[in-house]
Amino acid sequence: MVTAKVWVLKKHFEGFPKTSDFDLKKIELPNLKDGGEQKLLLESVFLSVDPYMRPYSQRDMKEGDIMIGTQVARIVESKNPAFTVGAFVVANSGWRTHFISDGKDLQLLPSSWPESLPKSLALGTVGMPGLTAYFGLLEVCKMKPGETVLVNAAAGAVGSVVGQLAKIGGCKVIGCAGSDDKVTYLKKIGFDEAFNYKTVTSLDEALRKASPDGYDCFFDNVSSE
């Protein structure tokens, strides 16, 4: 029998989440049985922390529920021939160290995953944020080489990938972020121009200075004024 640690939402958080908004509890998991539906025991290796958790926890969670979230997990016991012990998967089982699954909602990481590539990237650049950037830029914005792309919240998990994809695609890329450190980071990863929207005297002037000829594509990660 395995004891799982789970992070429970103690109180809906306002502003930045605090340690006191969560409780760490222990849950005893049953042993796997032959012939049952729950044939896999998994151990979480990485847990996601994403912006969507703020509105979704307010909308969908009750105080006392296990915090929502995705993880990269390793299979530690299997009675399902489709999943071998030691394989890694992406799951959506919330903030917990161990869990049992029937395998239906698990996504196997490719066996060819390079050893040099951190598996945590399956929750980031190679996962949901990266896919959001990829399809948002190429399928929604329909970016073309030579265009000028503006990205806000550009240092975030999605925005930073958008900027790098746009550069690979032959675009000029402008980033808008909320601190000088983030602006430095954006220039380091290849953004042509970047500015701190909190310190510029005029947003209009900052946008015109960064790209006097205007913009062809605006990738909005904020959806507010």
Side-chain angles (χ1 to χ4, degrees):
M1 184 173 291
V2 173
T3 301
K5 295 179 181 179
V6 300
W7 283 264
V8 170
L9 182 67
K10 182 178 180 181
K11 179 183 178 183
H12 284 288
F13 46 87
E14 297 179 5
F16 199 82
K18 304 177 294 299
T19 304
S20 59
D21 295 330
F22 302 91
D23 269 339
L24 182 58
K25 296 186 176 182
K26 295 181 179 180
I27 296 177
E28 297 292 333
L29 300 181
N31 293 324
L32 299 186
K33 294 181 180 180
D34 291 321
E37 291 185 357
Q38 298 178 329
K39 294 184 177 182
L40 299 168
L41 173 65
L42 300 101
E43 178 182 19
S44 298
V45 181
F46 298 102
L47 300 178
S48 70
V49 181
D50 295 299
Y52 78 83
M53 292 176 174
R54 182 184 303 277
Y56 276 54
S57 64
Q58 292 281 354
R59 188 190 73 181
D60 298 334
M61 292 183 64
K62 304 185 300 296
E63 294 177 355
D65 288 348
I66 296 173
M67 187 62 190
I68 56 175
T70 310
Q71 63 260 92
V72 172
R74 179 176 53 245
I75 298 172
V76 294
E77 186 179 350
S78 174
K79 294 183 180 296
N80 182 334
F83 296 90
T84 58
V85 171
F88 289 86
V89 302
V90 174
N92 189 26
S93 295
W95 287 2
R96 59 180 89 210
T97 59
H98 298 79
F99 59 99
I100 291 174
S101 170
D102 60 7
K104 294 178 181 178
D105 296 325
L106 303 180
Q107 181 180 357
L108 277 166
L109 266 61
S111 58
S112 58
W113 188 283
E115 285 296 325
S116 60
L117 195 67
K119 291 182 173 61
S120 60
L121 292 180
L123 302 176
T125 306
V126 192
M128 178 270 290
L131 292 172
T132 302
Y134 183 91
F135 289 102
L137 187 64
L138 300 182
E139 298 294 330
V140 180
C141 290
K142 299 188 183 301
M143 174 210 79
K144 299 179 181 63
E147 293 187 333
T148 299
V149 177
L150 173 65
V151 187
N152 67 3
V158 174
S160 59
V161 178
V162 170
Q164 293 174 85
L165 289 174
K167 286 302 298 179
I168 292 170
C171 293
K172 178 181 178 181
V173 185
I174 316 299
C176 175
S179 76
D180 292 340
D181 286 343
K182 290 179 181 179
V183 168
T184 300
Y185 168 69
L186 293 177
K187 293 180 177 179
K188 181 179 179 180
I189 63 173
F191 280 66
D192 295 284
E193 300 288 345
F195 62 88
N196 182 347
Y197 71 89
K198 292 182 179 179
T199 58
V200 296
T201 54
S202 167
L203 183 58
D204 288 341
E205 289 179 11
L207 291 169
R208 280 195 293 268
K209 181 180 178 181
S211 180
D213 296 328
Y215 301 88
D216 302 292
C217 171
F218 174 38
F219 199 107
D220 179 18
N221 289 293
V222 177
S223 299
S224 67
E225 183 179 359

mmCIF file of all heavy atoms in Angstrom, residues 111-154:
data_model
loop_
_atom_site.group_PDB
_atom_site.id
_atom_site.type_symbol
_atom_site.label_atom_id
_atom_site.label_comp_id
_atom_site.label_asym_id
_atom_site.label_seq_id
_atom_site.Cartn_x
_atom_site.Cartn_y
_atom_site.Cartn_z
ATOM 1 N N SER A 111 8.957 7.201 -26.553
ATOM 2 C CA SER A 111 10.122 6.436 -26.095
ATOM 3 C C SER A 111 11.416 7.038 -26.635
ATOM 4 O O SER A 111 12.497 6.791 -26.095
ATOM 5 C CB SER A 111 9.991 4.974 -26.536
ATOM 6 O OG SER A 111 9.871 4.881 -27.951
ATOM 7 N N SER A 112 11.296 7.831 -27.702
ATOM 8 C CA SER A 112 12.468 8.467 -28.310
ATOM 9 C C SER A 112 12.805 9.815 -27.675
ATOM 10 O O SER A 112 13.669 10.532 -28.184
ATOM 11 C CB SER A 112 12.217 8.670 -29.812
ATOM 12 O OG SER A 112 11.053 9.473 -30.015
ATOM 13 N N TRP A 113 12.128 10.166 -26.570
ATOM 14 C CA TRP A 113 12.403 11.447 -25.898
ATOM 15 C C TRP A 113 13.904 11.521 -25.567
ATOM 16 O O TRP A 113 14.437 10.649 -24.876
ATOM 17 C CB TRP A 113 11.578 11.525 -24.625
ATOM 18 C CG TRP A 113 11.626 12.856 -23.934
ATOM 19 C CD1 TRP A 113 12.646 13.342 -23.167
ATOM 20 C CD2 TRP A 113 10.628 13.872 -23.947
ATOM 21 N NE1 TRP A 113 12.352 14.602 -22.698
ATOM 22 C CE2 TRP A 113 11.120 14.948 -23.160
ATOM 23 C CE3 TRP A 113 9.374 13.980 -24.534
ATOM 24 C CZ2 TRP A 113 10.382 16.118 -22.952
ATOM 25 C CZ3 TRP A 113 8.646 15.142 -24.331
ATOM 26 C CH2 TRP A 113 9.143 16.198 -23.555
ATOM 27 N N PRO A 114 14.600 12.572 -26.029
ATOM 28 C CA PRO A 114 16.057 12.640 -25.802
ATOM 29 C C PRO A 114 16.397 12.746 -24.312
ATOM 30 O O PRO A 114 15.726 13.459 -23.563
ATOM 31 C CB PRO A 114 16.458 13.926 -26.545
ATOM 32 C CG PRO A 114 15.333 14.201 -27.498
ATOM 33 C CD PRO A 114 14.091 13.691 -26.836
ATOM 34 N N GLU A 115 17.450 12.066 -23.909
ATOM 35 C CA GLU A 115 17.886 12.099 -22.518
ATOM 36 C C GLU A 115 18.298 13.514 -22.107
ATOM 37 O O GLU A 115 18.190 13.897 -20.944
ATOM 38 C CB GLU A 115 19.050 11.133 -22.306
ATOM 39 C CG GLU A 115 18.649 9.671 -22.261
ATOM 40 C CD GLU A 115 17.745 9.360 -21.061
ATOM 41 O OE1 GLU A 115 17.939 9.978 -19.992
ATOM 42 O OE2 GLU A 115 16.850 8.506 -21.199
ATOM 43 N N SER A 116 18.784 14.294 -23.067
ATOM 44 C CA SER A 116 19.258 15.644 -22.763
ATOM 45 C C SER A 116 18.121 16.652 -22.597
ATOM 46 O O SER A 116 18.358 17.792 -22.181
ATOM 47 C CB SER A 116 20.197 16.135 -23.881
ATOM 48 O OG SER A 116 19.501 16.157 -25.131
ATOM 49 N N LEU A 117 16.890 16.244 -22.927
ATOM 50 C CA LEU A 117 15.743 17.149 -22.864
ATOM 51 C C LEU A 117 14.972 16.905 -21.570
ATOM 52 O O LEU A 117 14.447 15.803 -21.367
ATOM 53 C CB LEU A 117 14.827 16.919 -24.072
ATOM 54 C CG LEU A 117 13.781 17.990 -24.381
ATOM 55 C CD1 LEU A 117 14.460 19.279 -24.817
ATOM 56 C CD2 LEU A 117 12.832 17.502 -25.461
ATOM 57 N N PRO A 118 14.882 17.903 -20.671
ATOM 58 C CA PRO A 118 14.154 17.685 -19.412
ATOM 59 C C PRO A 118 12.705 17.287 -19.666
ATOM 60 O O PRO A 118 12.025 17.893 -20.496
ATOM 61 C CB PRO A 118 14.244 19.049 -18.718
ATOM 62 C CG PRO A 118 15.419 19.733 -19.333
ATOM 63 C CD PRO A 118 15.468 19.252 -20.755
ATOM 64 N N LYS A 119 12.246 16.291 -18.949
ATOM 65 C CA LYS A 119 10.862 15.838 -19.134
ATOM 66 C C LYS A 119 9.853 16.856 -18.618
ATOM 67 O O LYS A 119 8.666 16.792 -18.960
ATOM 68 C CB LYS A 119 10.665 14.475 -18.470
ATOM 69 C CG LYS A 119 11.410 13.352 -19.187
ATOM 70 C CD LYS A 119 11.169 12.007 -18.551
ATOM 71 C CE LYS A 119 11.782 10.884 -19.384
ATOM 72 N NZ LYS A 119 13.233 10.992 -19.525
ATOM 73 N N SER A 120 10.306 17.808 -17.808
ATOM 74 C CA SER A 120 9.411 18.883 -17.372
ATOM 75 C C SER A 120 8.884 19.697 -18.546
ATOM 76 O O SER A 120 7.821 20.315 -18.452
ATOM 77 C CB SER A 120 10.136 19.811 -16.389
ATOM 78 O OG SER A 120 11.283 20.386 -17.002
ATOM 79 N N LEU A 121 9.595 19.691 -19.676
ATOM 80 C CA LEU A 121 9.153 20.449 -20.848
ATOM 81 C C LEU A 121 7.855 19.896 -21.433
ATOM 82 O O LEU A 121 7.200 20.565 -22.226
ATOM 83 C CB LEU A 121 10.242 20.479 -21.919
ATOM 84 C CG LEU A 121 11.498 21.290 -21.574
ATOM 85 C CD1 LEU A 121 12.500 21.238 -22.718
ATOM 86 C CD2 LEU A 121 11.139 22.733 -21.250
ATOM 87 N N ALA A 122 7.482 18.678 -21.041
ATOM 88 C CA ALA A 122 6.192 18.130 -21.477
ATOM 89 C C ALA A 122 5.028 18.896 -20.863
ATOM 90 O O ALA A 122 3.883 18.761 -21.302
ATOM 91 C CB ALA A 122 6.083 16.657 -21.119
ATOM 92 N N LEU A 123 5.306 19.704 -19.837
ATOM 93 C CA LEU A 123 4.289 20.572 -19.252
ATOM 94 C C LEU A 123 4.447 22.014 -19.725
ATOM 95 O O LEU A 123 3.680 22.886 -19.315
ATOM 96 C CB LEU A 123 4.391 20.536 -17.715
ATOM 97 C CG LEU A 123 4.248 19.164 -17.067
ATOM 98 C CD1 LEU A 123 4.465 19.273 -15.558
ATOM 99 C CD2 LEU A 123 2.881 18.577 -17.368
ATOM 100 N N GLY A 124 5.454 22.270 -20.568
ATOM 101 C CA GLY A 124 5.747 23.632 -20.995
ATOM 102 C C GLY A 124 5.875 23.736 -22.501
ATOM 103 O O GLY A 124 4.897 23.611 -23.236
ATOM 104 N N THR A 125 7.107 23.916 -22.966
ATOM 105 C CA THR A 125 7.345 24.168 -24.382
ATOM 106 C C THR A 125 6.868 23.031 -25.272
ATOM 107 O O THR A 125 6.406 23.260 -26.394
ATOM 108 C CB THR A 125 8.844 24.407 -24.619
ATOM 109 O OG1 THR A 125 9.295 25.443 -23.739
ATOM 110 C CG2 THR A 125 9.114 24.841 -26.050
ATOM 111 N N VAL A 126 6.974 21.789 -24.802
ATOM 112 C CA VAL A 126 6.543 20.643 -25.602
ATOM 113 C C VAL A 126 5.132 20.209 -25.198
ATOM 114 O O VAL A 126 4.605 19.222 -25.708
ATOM 115 C CB VAL A 126 7.543 19.477 -25.448
ATOM 116 C CG1 VAL A 126 7.294 18.381 -26.474
ATOM 117 C CG2 VAL A 126 8.977 19.969 -25.617
ATOM 118 N N GLY A 127 4.504 20.961 -24.310
ATOM 119 C CA GLY A 127 3.181 20.612 -23.823
ATOM 120 C C GLY A 127 2.140 21.657 -24.161
ATOM 121 O O GLY A 127 2.222 22.327 -25.201
ATOM 122 N N MET A 128 1.158 21.806 -23.287
ATOM 123 C CA MET A 128 0.028 22.693 -23.554
ATOM 124 C C MET A 128 0.426 24.134 -23.872
ATOM 125 O O MET A 128 -0.059 24.702 -24.861
ATOM 126 C CB MET A 128 -0.954 22.633 -22.377
ATOM 127 C CG MET A 128 -2.156 23.539 -22.493
ATOM 128 S SD MET A 128 -1.873 25.186 -21.785
ATOM 129 C CE MET A 128 -1.797 24.812 -20.041
ATOM 130 N N PRO A 129 1.319 24.777 -23.094
ATOM 131 C CA PRO A 129 1.688 26.159 -23.442
ATOM 132 C C PRO A 129 2.341 26.265 -24.816
ATOM 133 O O PRO A 129 2.058 27.192 -25.578
ATOM 134 C CB PRO A 129 2.657 26.550 -22.321
ATOM 135 C CG PRO A 129 2.283 25.676 -21.179
ATOM 136 C CD PRO A 129 1.904 24.367 -21.800
ATOM 137 N N GLY A 130 3.229 25.311 -25.136
ATOM 138 C CA GLY A 130 3.882 25.340 -26.437
ATOM 139 C C GLY A 130 2.911 25.112 -27.586
ATOM 140 O O GLY A 130 3.005 25.747 -28.639
ATOM 141 N N LEU A 131 1.954 24.196 -27.378
ATOM 142 C CA LEU A 131 0.947 23.952 -28.416
ATOM 143 C C LEU A 131 0.038 25.168 -28.598
ATOM 144 O O LEU A 131 -0.376 25.488 -29.716
ATOM 145 C CB LEU A 131 0.122 22.718 -28.055
ATOM 146 C CG LEU A 131 0.867 21.380 -28.091
ATOM 147 C CD1 LEU A 131 -0.013 20.279 -27.532
ATOM 148 C CD2 LEU A 131 1.317 21.054 -29.502
ATOM 149 N N THR A 132 -0.280 25.845 -27.499
ATOM 150 C CA THR A 132 -1.066 27.077 -27.578
ATOM 151 C C THR A 132 -0.338 28.112 -28.425
ATOM 152 O O THR A 132 -0.936 28.768 -29.294
ATOM 153 C CB THR A 132 -1.322 27.642 -26.174
ATOM 154 O OG1 THR A 132 -2.009 26.668 -25.390
ATOM 155 C CG2 THR A 132 -2.159 28.912 -26.231
ATOM 156 N N ALA A 133 0.956 28.251 -28.189
ATOM 157 C CA ALA A 133 1.763 29.194 -28.959
ATOM 158 C C ALA A 133 1.807 28.794 -30.432
ATOM 159 O O ALA A 133 1.603 29.627 -31.329
ATOM 160 C CB ALA A 133 3.171 29.258 -28.377
ATOM 161 N N TYR A 134 2.065 27.523 -30.681
ATOM 162 C CA TYR A 134 2.251 27.044 -32.047
ATOM 163 C C TYR A 134 0.995 27.232 -32.897
ATOM 164 O O TYR A 134 1.021 27.848 -33.967
ATOM 165 C CB TYR A 134 2.658 25.569 -32.013
ATOM 166 C CG TYR A 134 2.954 24.970 -33.364
ATOM 167 C CD1 TYR A 134 4.234 24.983 -33.890
ATOM 168 C CD2 TYR A 134 1.945 24.378 -34.116
ATOM 169 C CE1 TYR A 134 4.515 24.432 -35.133
ATOM 170 C CE2 TYR A 134 2.211 23.819 -35.356
ATOM 171 C CZ TYR A 134 3.496 23.847 -35.855
ATOM 172 O OH TYR A 134 3.753 23.305 -37.092
ATOM 173 N N PHE A 135 -0.125 26.702 -32.404
ATOM 174 C CA PHE A 135 -1.344 26.770 -33.203
ATOM 175 C C PHE A 135 -1.955 28.171 -33.203
ATOM 176 O O PHE A 135 -2.562 28.592 -34.191
ATOM 177 C CB PHE A 135 -2.349 25.721 -32.725
ATOM 178 C CG PHE A 135 -1.947 24.320 -33.074
ATOM 179 C CD1 PHE A 135 -1.395 23.483 -32.123
ATOM 180 C CD2 PHE A 135 -2.086 23.856 -34.364
ATOM 181 C CE1 PHE A 135 -1.004 22.194 -32.449
ATOM 182 C CE2 PHE A 135 -1.703 22.567 -34.714
ATOM 183 C CZ PHE A 135 -1.146 21.734 -33.753
ATOM 184 N N GLY A 136 -1.789 28.907 -32.100
ATOM 185 C CA GLY A 136 -2.267 30.287 -32.089
ATOM 186 C C GLY A 136 -1.565 31.141 -33.114
ATOM 187 O O GLY A 136 -2.186 31.953 -33.819
ATOM 188 N N LEU A 137 -0.253 30.960 -33.218
ATOM 189 C CA LEU A 137 0.533 31.773 -34.146
ATOM 190 C C LEU A 137 0.353 31.339 -35.599
ATOM 191 O O LEU A 137 0.166 32.169 -36.494
ATOM 192 C CB LEU A 137 2.011 31.691 -33.757
ATOM 193 C CG LEU A 137 2.977 32.610 -34.499
ATOM 194 C CD1 LEU A 137 2.663 34.073 -34.226
ATOM 195 C CD2 LEU A 137 4.419 32.300 -34.110
ATOM 196 N N LEU A 138 0.393 30.026 -35.839
ATOM 197 C CA LEU A 138 0.387 29.537 -37.220
ATOM 198 C C LEU A 138 -1.009 29.307 -37.792
ATOM 199 O O LEU A 138 -1.234 29.508 -38.988
ATOM 200 C CB LEU A 138 1.195 28.242 -37.311
ATOM 201 C CG LEU A 138 2.675 28.364 -36.897
ATOM 202 C CD1 LEU A 138 3.374 27.027 -37.070
ATOM 203 C CD2 LEU A 138 3.372 29.441 -37.702
ATOM 204 N N GLU A 139 -1.970 28.908 -36.935
ATOM 205 C CA GLU A 139 -3.303 28.604 -37.450
ATOM 206 C C GLU A 139 -4.291 29.757 -37.263
ATOM 207 O O GLU A 139 -5.182 29.954 -38.100
ATOM 208 C CB GLU A 139 -3.851 27.349 -36.757
ATOM 209 C CG GLU A 139 -3.039 26.091 -37.007
ATOM 210 C CD GLU A 139 -3.084 25.656 -38.451
ATOM 211 O OE1 GLU A 139 -4.110 25.911 -39.125
ATOM 212 O OE2 GLU A 139 -2.085 25.061 -38.927
ATOM 213 N N VAL A 140 -4.166 30.504 -36.164
ATOM 214 C CA VAL A 140 -5.095 31.613 -35.912
ATOM 215 C C VAL A 140 -4.557 32.914 -36.495
ATOM 216 O O VAL A 140 -5.212 33.573 -37.303
ATOM 217 C CB VAL A 140 -5.380 31.763 -34.399
ATOM 218 C CG1 VAL A 140 -6.340 32.920 -34.156
ATOM 219 C CG2 VAL A 140 -5.963 30.469 -33.842
ATOM 220 N N CYS A 141 -3.341 33.285 -36.090
ATOM 221 C CA CYS A 141 -2.751 34.522 -36.624
ATOM 222 C C CYS A 141 -2.287 34.350 -38.074
ATOM 223 O O CYS A 141 -2.159 35.330 -38.795
ATOM 224 C CB CYS A 141 -1.555 34.946 -35.771
ATOM 225 S SG CYS A 141 -1.986 35.552 -34.135
ATOM 226 N N LYS A 142 -2.011 33.119 -38.469
ATOM 227 C CA LYS A 142 -1.531 32.806 -39.817
ATOM 228 C C LYS A 142 -0.311 33.671 -40.165
ATOM 229 O O LYS A 142 -0.249 34.323 -41.212
ATOM 230 C CB LYS A 142 -2.646 32.976 -40.853
ATOM 231 C CG LYS A 142 -3.824 32.049 -40.602
ATOM 232 C CD LYS A 142 -4.823 32.076 -41.737
ATOM 233 C CE LYS A 142 -6.032 31.194 -41.447
ATOM 234 N NZ LYS A 142 -5.679 29.784 -41.206
ATOM 235 N N MET A 143 0.652 33.669 -39.261
ATOM 236 C CA MET A 143 1.886 34.423 -39.424
ATOM 237 C C MET A 143 2.603 34.072 -40.724
ATOM 238 O O MET A 143 2.631 32.919 -41.140
ATOM 239 C CB MET A 143 2.788 34.113 -38.232
ATOM 240 C CG MET A 143 4.186 34.694 -38.296
ATOM 241 S SD MET A 143 5.367 33.638 -37.414
ATOM 242 C CE MET A 143 5.642 32.344 -38.634
ATOM 243 N N LYS A 144 3.171 35.109 -41.357
ATOM 244 C CA LYS A 144 3.931 34.917 -42.594
ATOM 245 C C LYS A 144 5.323 35.524 -42.426
ATOM 246 O O LYS A 144 5.494 36.513 -41.693
ATOM 247 C CB LYS A 144 3.217 35.579 -43.774
ATOM 248 C CG LYS A 144 1.828 35.033 -44.056
ATOM 249 C CD LYS A 144 1.201 35.768 -45.236
ATOM 250 C CE LYS A 144 -0.204 35.240 -45.523
ATOM 251 N NZ LYS A 144 -1.126 35.487 -44.388
ATOM 252 N N PRO A 145 6.321 34.965 -43.085
ATOM 253 C CA PRO A 145 7.674 35.522 -43.003
ATOM 254 C C PRO A 145 7.695 36.996 -43.397
ATOM 255 O O PRO A 145 6.989 37.408 -44.332
ATOM 256 C CB PRO A 145 8.468 34.667 -44.006
ATOM 257 C CG PRO A 145 7.705 33.384 -44.103
ATOM 258 C CD PRO A 145 6.262 33.755 -43.944
ATOM 259 N N GLY A 146 8.472 37.782 -42.691
ATOM 260 C CA GLY A 146 8.600 39.202 -42.995
ATOM 261 C C GLY A 146 7.623 40.090 -42.245
ATOM 262 O O GLY A 146 7.742 41.318 -42.282
ATOM 263 N N GLU A 147 6.646 39.482 -41.545
ATOM 264 C CA GLU A 147 5.684 40.277 -40.794
ATOM 265 C C GLU A 147 6.273 40.707 -39.452
ATOM 266 O O GLU A 147 7.292 40.193 -38.998
ATOM 267 C CB GLU A 147 4.393 39.484 -40.579
ATOM 268 C CG GLU A 147 3.617 39.224 -41.864
ATOM 269 C CD GLU A 147 2.265 38.580 -41.624
ATOM 270 O OE1 GLU A 147 2.109 37.874 -40.601
ATOM 271 O OE2 GLU A 147 1.377 38.765 -42.468
ATOM 272 N N THR A 148 5.595 41.676 -38.832
ATOM 273 C CA THR A 148 5.975 42.141 -37.498
ATOM 274 C C THR A 148 4.943 41.644 -36.503
ATOM 275 O O THR A 148 3.748 41.894 -36.664
ATOM 276 C CB THR A 148 6.062 43.676 -37.449
ATOM 277 O OG1 THR A 148 7.064 44.120 -38.377
ATOM 278 C CG2 THR A 148 6.449 44.153 -36.051
ATOM 279 N N VAL A 149 5.424 40.944 -35.485
ATOM 280 C CA VAL A 149 4.550 40.302 -34.508
ATOM 281 C C VAL A 149 4.734 40.973 -33.150
ATOM 282 O O VAL A 149 5.861 41.148 -32.679
ATOM 283 C CB VAL A 149 4.864 38.792 -34.384
ATOM 284 C CG1 VAL A 149 3.993 38.140 -33.308
ATOM 285 C CG2 VAL A 149 4.666 38.100 -35.732
ATOM 286 N N LEU A 150 3.622 41.334 -32.520
ATOM 287 C CA LEU A 150 3.626 41.911 -31.183
ATOM 288 C C LEU A 150 3.076 40.878 -30.201
ATOM 289 O O LEU A 150 2.030 40.286 -30.437
ATOM 290 C CB LEU A 150 2.765 43.178 -31.144
ATOM 291 C CG LEU A 150 2.529 43.813 -29.767
ATOM 292 C CD1 LEU A 150 3.833 44.330 -29.172
ATOM 293 C CD2 LEU A 150 1.496 44.949 -29.872
ATOM 294 N N VAL A 151 3.796 40.685 -29.094
ATOM 295 C CA VAL A 151 3.390 39.702 -28.090
ATOM 296 C C VAL A 151 3.338 40.395 -26.729
ATOM 297 O O VAL A 151 4.330 41.004 -26.314
ATOM 298 C CB VAL A 151 4.389 38.529 -28.008
ATOM 299 C CG1 VAL A 151 3.848 37.430 -27.086
ATOM 300 C CG2 VAL A 151 4.699 37.969 -29.391
ATOM 301 N N ASN A 152 2.192 40.312 -26.037
ATOM 302 C CA ASN A 152 2.172 40.809 -24.662
ATOM 303 C C ASN A 152 2.282 39.634 -23.698
ATOM 304 O O ASN A 152 2.161 38.476 -24.101
ATOM 305 C CB ASN A 152 0.948 41.685 -24.383
ATOM 306 C CG ASN A 152 -0.363 40.927 -24.423
ATOM 307 O OD1 ASN A 152 -0.413 39.711 -24.600
ATOM 308 N ND2 ASN A 152 -1.455 41.650 -24.267
ATOM 309 N N ALA A 153 2.541 39.924 -22.424
ATOM 310 C CA ALA A 153 2.925 38.878 -21.470
ATOM 311 C C ALA A 153 3.971 37.980 -22.122
ATOM 312 O O ALA A 153 3.935 36.752 -22.025
ATOM 313 C CB ALA A 153 1.710 38.075 -21.012
ATOM 314 N N ALA A 154 4.919 38.629 -22.788
ATOM 315 C CA ALA A 154 5.820 37.925 -23.693
ATOM 316 C C ALA A 154 6.839 37.040 -22.995
ATOM 317 O O ALA A 154 7.421 36.164 -23.624
ATOM 318 C CB ALA A 154 6.545 38.943 -24.586
#
